[in-house]
Amino acid sequence: MADVSKNLKVYTTYGPKSARGTKPAIVAKMIEKAKRPLFVVGSEVLEEKLLARAQAIAKKGIPVAATGHSIKGFIDEEGVDAKYINIHFLGSFLCDPKWAGLDDNGCYDLIILLGHKKYYINQVLSGLKNFSDLKTINIGKHYTQNATLSFGNVTPEVHLEALDELIDNL
Amino acid sequence: MSELKTGTFSVSDLENVQINIGSIVGAIEKTAAEEGEVGPTVKPNISGLRDWDYKLLERYNPVYTPMCDQCCYCTFGTCDLTGNKEGACGINMEGHNAREFMLRVITGASAHSGHGRHLLHHLIDKYGADYPLKVGQTNIIAPNVQMVTGKKPETLGDLEGALSYVEEQLVQLLACVHVGQEGEAIDFESKAMHGGMLDHVGMEVSDIAQISCLEMPKADENAPLSEIGMGTIDSEKPVLLVIGHNVAGVTNIIDYMEDHDLTDKMELCGLCCTALDMTRYRTEGGDVPKAKVVGTLAKELKMIRSGVPDVIVVDEQCVRADVLREARELMMPVITTNDKIMYGLPDRSEDDIEDIIDDLKSGRDDGALILDFEKLGEVAPRLTQEMSKIRKEKGVVSLPTEEEFNELTSRCVHCLTCELECPTNLPISDAMTAAEEGDLRPFEILHDKCVACGRCEQACPKDIPVLNVIEKASQRVIREERGKVRVGRGQISDPEIREEGVNLVMGTTPGIIAMVGCSNYPDGTKDLYRIADEMLRRNYIVLMSGCSAMDLGMYQNDDGETLYEKYPAKFQKGNLINVGSCVSNSHITAATIKVAAIFAQRNITGNYEEIADYILNRVGAVGVAWGAYSQKASSIGTGCNRLGIPVILGPHGSKYRRALIGKPYEEDKWKVLDARNGETMDIPPAPEFLLTTAETIDEMMPMLAKNCIRPSDNNMGRMIKLTHYIELSEKYLGIMPDDWYKYVRNETDLPLARREEFLKKLEQEYGWDIDWNKKKIVSGPTSKLDVSAQPTNVERLCKEA
Ligand code: SF4
Ligand code: SF4
Ligand code: SF4
């Protein structure tokens, strides 16, 4: 008999559309398929263990939008193409098809997010969800409803494991 | 009856004659006109400044980040607007969010002007409508009022007209929120701007009325210092805590205490802006403040839970809804004093003082509504003394004992529910573990970051009173919470503007950083200190107000000085000013208006657009509301925005759901006219936004410097501003900014010490042509340096447009 009574709890909600849960292997596939992925990192990425993973992801050839003061973790890293931008500005530009991107090579088709304050990134993603067709994936340790796909709420240990798995798959 | 024309006339020798005066508006208007030039927008209605708003909105695009994708305003709904869909009434997500933003702005503006109306009634009652307005050394008593309403108020009574205008406009704006009215986002945006402008008029009315009547400092650079912090409160004495924003009733308490020799025998302390205004009361001329400041809204629940207050008096705005429920647990009677907050308490305004005190001290009632301030003045201090004895006898304690604390920390099952509920996801679970092992440091760190909202407690499945645990663990740091805040000085004086205006417009004073607003910081209170200290050392003028002004005073440098003690408080480069409470924010916009009036000799009367245009293009000022949480903060910010002043919010500010951000890559948006001949001029993207957020203060530092750049900077000014922008970017982000070259018009704009290095970069990285013999830029810059150019966005202000 199908148990339809499970998992009905909603905490606070932004509305009817919610991010689907996702796994590292799926994220890796989506990044591979994307033509213009952008890896958007926030200041919380500067925590040592997280930073090592973020740099490793960047070194797989994905351009980095370093928001907050996260750029500090990417300066002089070989094989990393990182530029500073304010995330509220980035959120605005990403909704504009005329924007040429951080490198003048055109707008992006997939946004991968890591190291952001949960409430802050949820707001930025809410703009993208409502006013753009972009696909967004949050690979941070908090579930963010407004992404297209998101990791769930996980402990720091499980989170690092998931990131390692993602790096291995890229 | 015969009609009187405007002018003066005298009536004498009348007997048994009744004179009815309906309205003397005409006469006042005549007065204003006689004062000199009057601009085209006296008391603009909702659409009066729409053209100006459209100009701003064309460059600074609304960016919506909804917090709820549904609308439930009317019974057609609930409508799902996800993806900018339309609801049943035809409004789309953009329109709905713009509507909500506007509603937020007019809610804030109403809070300030409602406060102003209450104060004005009270003060006119007490001092009379003819009481003269006195705000310090100035010929422009009320710059916002004069610019918007076209009138120069001189008496308390004159302020009524300005406030009536604000109230009428707010009703018109609120009407637009009704379903089936405005449909387009852009016009909701223009209306929001209107609401923001009104807010500064309402705030100005409130503050100049109280400054004039309540002997507050008047544009005084030597305003005294007041004590601040939970650690300054002597809990051995009876403690009376006041919470809110409206100081009217509290002045009666202070007077009673002085008259009855109670000032040293009990503690009168406050939270939020009432606290700031209590310290301003009767300190004109440098007298010692008559009360202490506990801190901001974030200290409300913490202070109550400390068990220290014996009685709580609340007035209006930013008062927690559960004060009565919380206080009841701890035998603290609550007195409400304003009909905006009554908590269901019985109205005792007409009752006998002894009866009220008896009912409260016996616990028959938890609190009372007292709208009669004379009565309040006596009841509150007397009751405090009685309750102090009773509560000490009963041994009322609030925070857990050592044993209870140990039991609570070991009860935690580390399910993380509290952390997911906490607005900033604070690491509570790890702190519980550390505390169990005897390490309280993680909780002490949490104490500063925690805004005492109580959500964690509501969520904990083990019923752990998390906030009490944090506070118990932090007793050591709480005792050390002692600082100094400079008492709010009100306006900036005319002589100060006369001296400093030229430096601001030329850019040789790199800018004004106005740190305003509430205490919902992303990472604790010390960030404010870091921002102010950095910018002061760089010679910016730092203006403070409200909760930010308080928190800044909580930190000392290595010499044991707060920044208020370290930096002088004149309106000039490298000085630190506290203008005052929430309503004193109007003096910040007023200072920029006065630069236009005094330095540039522009007419401000009824001349909003020209003044805003002047400020946008020439006055390098940036507002920072790092912990903004309230609707009032959104109206203050929006009022700044319409006047051409950009504002940066902390990350929680993204929850206002609307920013105004320019696109530096859209070259056609960064052009202005030269008012001398109407020719188009290229300008750099500055300011780049009118409203945005930053994630951390490290990110914000270079943003501050960059967005103080204005087209009018002379070469020395631009060089100074650009130097700070580059240095702050290097210091806090570790990089040379990638847009620095856009702000270079010729070689004299380049930082002097590094001119050669930058010329090389311009040649190699940006392909500019450099004459190396003369060390000059031959070609490359998009904007030209012309110190006598008069940048404007308004065509009608051009001579040969
Ligand atoms: S106001 Fe419009 S969008 Fe909102 S519930 Fe009513 S019909 Fe739906
Ligand atoms: S919700 Fe309660 S039990 Fe769970 S981690 Fe937080 S304090 Fe511990
Ligand atoms: S009271 Fe403090 S710790 Fe608890 S949820 Fe609120 S901010 Fe977080």
Side-chain angles (χ1 to χ4, degrees):
Chain A
M1 205 171 65
D3 183 356
V4 290
S5 65
K6 270 191 185 160
N7 270 336
L8 298 184
K9 180 155 176 146
V10 175
Y11 289 87
T12 58
T13 175
Y14 284 77
K17 196 171 170 186
S18 297
R20 276 176 286 128
T22 190
K23 294 185 186 125
I26 299 175
V27 179
K29 271 206 191 102
M30 289 185 66
I31 294 175
E32 252 156 53
K33 275 209 319 221
K35 288 195 190 79
R36 282 275 286 162
L38 181 67
F39 184 30
V40 181
V41 296
S43 301
E44 291 184 0
V45 87
L46 292 172
E47 188 274 318
E48 204 185 321
K49 288 181 187 151
L50 208 52
L51 184 60
R53 270 76 175 185
Q55 288 168 344
I57 295 171
K59 284 177 186 169
K60 300 280 181 176
I62 312 171
V64 178
T67 70
H69 65 282
S70 65
I71 187 76
K72 279 199 150 165
F74 298 86
I75 305 163
D76 300 332
E77 278 297 311
E78 225 171 278
V80 171
D81 169 18
K83 285 217 164 69
Y84 160 74
I85 185 167
N86 170 278
I87 196 147
H88 221 134
F89 276 64
L90 178 65
S92 161
F93 300 172
L94 283 171
C95 292
D96 178 6
K98 294 196 297 289
W99 185 47
L102 291 165
D103 53 6
D104 282 338
N105 287 332
C107 214
Y108 303 92
D109 60 352
L110 180 72
I111 307 297
I112 306 104
L113 301 130
L114 181 65
H116 300 275
K117 290 178 169 56
K118 175 183 170 173
Y119 62 88
Y120 193 34
I121 200 62
N122 243 336
Q123 287 308 119
V124 174
L125 285 169
S126 151
L128 296 182
K129 176 178 82 174
N130 281 296
F131 304 108
S132 84
D133 297 324
L134 274 175
K135 286 211 164 27
T136 57
I137 311 176
N138 184 26
I139 56 169
K141 66 177 161 48
H142 286 128
Y143 174 71
T144 49
Q145 183 184 352
N146 290 330
T148 319
L149 297 168
S150 172
F151 284 178
N153 294 306
V154 289
T155 61
E157 297 76 38
V158 175
H159 183 222
L160 293 180
E161 237 174 78
L163 292 179
D164 287 337
E165 205 182 314
L166 168 65
I167 295 161
D168 289 344
N169 276 285
L170 279 172
Chain B
M1 92 156 251
S2 65
E3 277 213 7
L4 290 166
K5 297 288 174 217
T6 49
T8 49
F9 56 92
S10 61
V11 186
S12 53
D13 299 331
L14 294 177
E15 265 180 65
N16 294 325
V17 176
Q18 182 180 324
I19 301 177
N20 294 319
I21 300 177
S23 163
I24 50 170
V25 171
I28 294 170
E29 258 158 21
K30 186 77 194 315
T31 316
E34 280 165 359
E35 293 284 346
E37 224 183 311
V38 175
T41 52
V42 170
K43 293 190 177 173
N45 59 20
I46 294 181
S47 59
L49 287 159
R50 187 171 179 247
D51 288 350
W52 172 247
D53 298 333
Y54 269 53
K55 282 193 186 90
L56 291 176
L57 293 164
E58 203 195 330
R59 189 195 283 168
Y60 303 104
N61 309 136
V63 179
Y64 301 108
T65 52
M67 215 158 174
C68 176
D69 300 336
Q70 303 188 143
C71 177
C72 54
Y73 267 23
C74 80
T75 68
F76 282 138
T78 307
C79 298
D80 173 18
L81 307 179
T82 314
N84 208 21
K85 283 204 286 273
E86 283 180 11
C89 65
I91 204 162
N92 60 12
M93 180 63 111
E94 277 178 348
H96 174 60
N97 269 269
R99 171 170 66 179
E100 281 214 305
F101 186 78
M102 178 197 119
L103 182 58
R104 220 161 286 134
V105 168
I106 61 175
T107 304
S110 302
H112 285 139
S113 49
H115 168 186
R117 178 56 82 184
H118 178 275
L119 257 177
L120 198 57
H121 268 157
H122 171 71
L123 296 174
I124 288 179
D125 245 17
K126 208 163 161 178
Y127 299 89
D130 293 334
Y131 194 84
L133 296 174
K134 295 173 285 187
V135 296
Q137 267 189 295
T138 184
N139 285 322
I140 313 172
I141 290 176
N144 278 286
V145 170
Q146 189 176 336
M147 176 179 65
V148 175
T149 70
K151 291 175 190 167
K152 274 182 104 164
E154 280 167 12
T155 63
L156 273 186
D158 291 348
L159 294 175
E160 295 230 63
L163 213 44
S164 301
Y165 159 73
V166 169
E167 289 158 346
E168 189 251 354
Q169 290 298 300
L170 286 174
V171 171
Q172 298 296 338
L173 288 173
L174 186 56
C176 304
V177 176
H178 195 278
V179 182
Q181 303 263 39
E182 189 58 76
E184 281 302 321
I186 188 157
D187 270 307
F188 275 122
E189 291 295 347
S190 166
K191 291 177 168 91
M193 296 256 188
H194 196 59
M197 177 194 76
L198 297 172
D199 188 37
H200 285 255
V201 176
M203 289 192 291
E204 188 162 87
V205 167
S206 311
D207 212 36
I208 62 178
Q210 63 178 4
I211 289 172
S212 302
C213 300
L214 302 180
E215 296 170 53
M216 293 179 169
K218 298 177 176 27
D220 181 3
E221 64 183 85
N222 298 312
L225 294 162
S226 167
E227 287 187 84
I228 177 167
M230 284 173 84
T232 65
I233 310 302
D234 180 356
S235 57
E236 293 304 311
K237 290 182 184 173
V239 178
L240 172 55
L241 174 69
V242 182
I243 312 176
H245 282 72
N246 188 333
V247 81
V250 186
T251 59
N252 290 67
I253 297 176
I254 295 176
D255 292 347
Y256 182 91
M257 283 172 56
E258 284 205 339
D259 293 347
H260 294 80
D261 204 18
L262 293 173
T263 312
D264 294 330
K265 299 197 178 86
M266 57 181 279
E267 290 278 37
L268 173 63
C269 56
L271 287 158
C272 267
C273 285
T274 295
L276 280 178
D277 283 343
M278 292 196 305
T279 64
R280 295 166 84 190
Y281 179 52
R282 293 212 267 113
T283 50
E284 183 184 1
D287 276 4
V288 225
K290 288 145 191 74
K292 290 176 183 170
V293 182
V294 175
T296 67
L297 171 65
K299 293 274 192 291
E300 229 167 90
L301 210 46
K302 293 178 185 174
M303 184 63 183
I304 298 174
R305 294 276 183 96
S306 74
V308 169
D310 294 301
V311 172
I312 300 176
V313 170
V314 306
D315 51 80
E316 59 171 300
Q317 300 163 58
C318 303
V319 184
R320 287 184 61 93
D322 57 358
V323 167
L324 182 63
R325 293 192 292 270
E326 288 278 340
R328 184 183 289 141
E329 302 285 317
L330 298 169
M331 286 184 66
M332 295 170 194
V334 174
I335 303 175
T336 56
T337 61
N338 188 300
D339 38 25
K340 293 187 193 79
I341 301 177
M342 298 190 280
Y343 289 149
L345 290 169
D347 186 354
R348 308 298 301 269
S349 311
E350 306 292 326
D351 294 353
D352 181 69
I353 286 180
E354 305 305 326
D355 291 347
I356 305 174
I357 293 180
D358 269 355
D359 288 343
L360 291 173
K361 74 175 197 201
S362 66
R364 266 192 295 279
D365 287 331
D366 316 316
L369 168 67
I370 305 179
L371 298 171
D372 175 338
F373 291 162
E374 289 290 328
K375 218 164 259 181
L376 169 72
E378 181 173 344
V379 171
R382 280 184 52 196
L383 181 66
T384 305
Q385 294 174 83
E386 301 265 6
M387 288 311 299
S388 170
K389 275 181 257 153
I390 295 171
R391 293 178 75 248
K392 283 203 172 73
E393 271 161 26
K394 296 224 164 150
V396 179
V397 280
S398 149
L399 296 179
T401 62
E402 295 292 332
E403 279 133 54
E404 286 165 342
F405 178 79
N406 292 337
E407 188 276 319
L408 289 169
T409 50
S410 58
R411 202 196 295 169
C412 172
V413 292
H414 308 287
C415 62
L416 304 183
T417 312
C418 53
E419 294 189 14
L420 288 170
E421 275 294 328
C422 173
T424 24
N425 307 115
L426 292 175
I428 299 163
S429 169
D430 282 353
M432 291 277 184
T433 311
E436 261 195 288
E437 292 159 4
D439 177 10
L440 299 179
R441 191 65 199 135
F443 267 133
E444 290 177 343
I445 295 168
L446 280 198
H447 162 76
D448 184 47
K449 300 190 181 192
C450 162
V451 294
C453 68
R455 265 164 58 177
C456 45
E457 298 185 350
Q458 301 282 324
C460 177
K462 292 287 165 190
D463 288 332
I464 299 174
V466 180
L467 181 60
N468 286 3
V469 171
I470 299 175
E471 291 304 283
K472 174 69 185 178
S474 308
Q475 287 300 299
R476 187 187 63 85
V477 288
I478 292 170
R479 275 192 298 274
E480 285 166 14
E481 279 181 2
R482 320 165 138 261
K484 291 262 163 50
V485 56
R486 191 170 297 287
V487 166
R489 58 116 84 185
Q491 256 205 19
I492 309 302
S493 72
D494 291 8
E496 286 173 301
I497 300 278
R498 211 163 283 131
E499 266 177 52
E500 193 60 14
V502 59
N503 300 325
L504 276 168
V505 172
M506 296 301 150
T508 44
T509 290
I512 300 172
I513 305 296
M515 292 168 59
V516 310
C518 342
S519 53
N520 194 15
Y521 315 114
D523 199 28
T525 49
K526 193 158 189 188
D527 278 355
L528 292 183
Y529 177 94
R530 288 182 60 206
I531 304 166
D533 198 32
E534 179 71 68
M535 301 319 274
L536 284 163
R537 275 193 269 139
R538 291 177 180 275
N539 263 337
Y540 287 77
I541 300 174
V542 175
L543 301 180
M544 307 296 303
S545 71
C547 283
S548 291
M550 299 184 205
D551 278 327
L552 183 68
M554 294 298 296
Y555 290 92
Q556 282 109 27
N557 60 15
D558 296 338
D559 301 327
E561 281 176 324
T562 61
L563 294 182
Y564 290 113
E565 291 159 290
K566 181 173 173 194
Y567 291 97
K570 203 175 166 189
F571 186 75
Q572 68 181 25
K573 63 183 73 168
N575 276 229
L576 171 64
I577 287 176
N578 175 17
V579 288
S581 56
C582 246
V583 286
S584 312
N585 280 305
S586 53
H587 306 311
I588 296 173
T589 42
T592 62
I593 298 166
K594 285 172 80 166
V595 171
I598 296 170
F599 166 67
Q601 295 288 307
R602 300 285 179 117
N603 161 50
I604 65 165
T605 312
N607 203 19
Y608 192 96
E609 184 180 51
E610 181 175 342
I611 301 306
D613 179 60
Y614 184 90
I615 294 167
L616 175 69
N617 284 302
R618 306 192 204 207
V619 183
V622 179
V624 178
W626 195 240
Y629 94 96
S630 67
Q631 293 84 19
K632 291 182 291 174
S634 72
S635 57
I636 296 167
T638 307
C640 289
N641 291 167
R642 193 183 224 188
L643 201 56
I645 303 171
V647 176
I648 309 182
L649 308 169
H652 283 294
S654 60
K655 293 180 236 171
Y656 283 116
R657 301 155 239 183
R658 193 291 248 122
L660 292 173
I661 296 176
K663 293 182 173 136
Y665 56 88
E666 286 185 340
E667 277 161 22
D668 58 318
K669 298 283 168 65
W670 305 97
K671 290 181 194 299
V672 292
L673 302 169
D674 185 343
R676 293 172 306 178
N677 49 24
E679 277 172 19
T680 305
M681 291 166 56
D682 288 303
I683 58 160
E688 272 187 317
F689 57 85
L690 285 180
L691 190 75
T692 190
T693 58
E695 187 191 356
T696 59
I697 59 161
D698 294 57
E699 178 184 19
M700 184 176 63
M701 297 282 197
M703 289 169 78
L704 288 175
K706 172 158 72 166
N707 287 286
C708 279
I709 292 175
R710 291 293 175 276
S712 67
D713 299 335
N714 68 10
N715 49 7
M716 176 71 89
R718 180 64 58 85
M719 180 186 80
I720 291 170
K721 292 181 182 187
L722 193 56
T723 304
H724 292 311
Y725 174 40
I726 293 170
E727 284 181 6
L728 286 166
S729 180
E730 288 176 334
K731 178 170 176 185
Y732 289 95
L733 300 179
I735 50 164
M736 178 81 184
D738 60 8
D739 59 354
W740 68 278
Y741 69 95
K742 292 184 183 172
Y743 303 94
V744 180
R745 299 162 299 184
N746 76 15
E747 57 288 338
T748 53
D749 286 345
L750 292 171
L752 198 55
R754 296 168 71 181
R755 195 163 280 173
E756 195 146 335
E757 173 197 343
F758 288 152
L759 283 173
K760 246 183 228 146
K761 271 185 191 292
L762 289 170
E763 187 180 56
Q764 287 163 5
E765 293 170 29
Y766 301 95
W768 289 18
D769 220 353
I770 311 294
D771 176 343
W772 283 105
N773 287 329
K774 294 185 186 144
K775 297 217 167 61
K776 269 178 161 317
I777 295 169
V778 182
S779 69
T782 43
S783 49
K784 283 200 210 90
L785 174 65
D786 179 351
V787 275
S788 44
Q790 293 178 20
T792 175
N793 292 53
V794 182
E795 218 178 308
R796 72 176 166 85
L797 298 177
C798 298
K799 287 213 175 76
E800 287 161 38

